Amino acid sequence: QVQLVESGGGLVQAGGSLRLSCAASGRTLMSYAMGWFRQAPGKEREFVAAMTWNVGLTYYAESVKGRFTISRDKVKNTLYLQMTNLKPEDTAVYYCASYRTYVFSTSLTAAGSYDYWGQGTQVTVSS
């Protein structure tokens, strides 16, 4: 059983920064990729960023490009999301997720490509 535990959310003013962490445990071999998604009230869960675990290729939603940076610590099995220049529209619950397979199979930007999810961490950006 894979466990993903997010931390680092909070309340920040527009223009501020936060760093989210996601600690993964319970899996002896990390999956092909890990990702961050977010869900705002009344909206569907949306893709934010993803990273292939071994090679470190990164993918971002257009709305966060240039402001967010995804990274990982392979020793600690921890995924990070550094968020800068935060905007009120970034307010959401942020989830990390583990890709379903050990090799590429389906889109890294689709929520259905991930099988394990963290509990989420709230990010609130005030204007």
Side-chain angles (χ1 to χ4, degrees):
Q1 183 75 13
V2 175
Q3 288 189 321
L4 303 174
V5 180
E6 300 104 333
S7 61
L11 173 63
V12 64
Q13 288 188 330
S17 300
L18 282 174
R19 189 175 85 152
L20 306 183
S21 299
C22 172
S25 62
R27 179 172 264 165
T28 55
L29 181 65
M30 293 298 287
S31 62
Y32 176 75
M34 298 281 290
W36 288 99
F37 289 75
R38 66 187 182 187
Q39 188 166 19
K43 294 188 176 181
E44 292 190 356
R45 190 168 298 190
E46 65 172 0
F47 169 77
V48 175
M51 171 175 258
T52 61
W53 194 255
N54 282 332
V55 178
L57 297 176
T58 58
Y59 305 85
Y60 295 95
E62 285 296 324
S63 60
V64 306
K65 273 184 181 178
R67 300 188 299 122
F68 290 11
T69 302
I70 189 171
S71 62
R72 89 285 197 221
D73 185 322
K74 296 173 72 174
V75 174
K76 295 181 179 179
N77 281 354
T78 299
L79 184 73
Y80 302 98
L81 185 68
Q82 178 69 49
M83 305 184 293
T84 63
N85 190 20
L86 282 160
K87 305 175 181 180
E89 51 264 41
D90 294 319
T91 296
V93 177
Y94 284 70
Y95 300 90
C96 72
S98 176
Y99 194 74
R100 288 185 178 275
T101 57
Y102 298 114
V103 295
F104 177 78
S105 57
T106 55
S107 172
L108 270 74
T109 66
S113 297
Y114 298 80
D115 54 357
Y116 291 100
W117 295 80
Q119 82 287 353
T121 185
Q122 177 70 47
V123 171
T124 303
V125 184
S126 63
S127 57

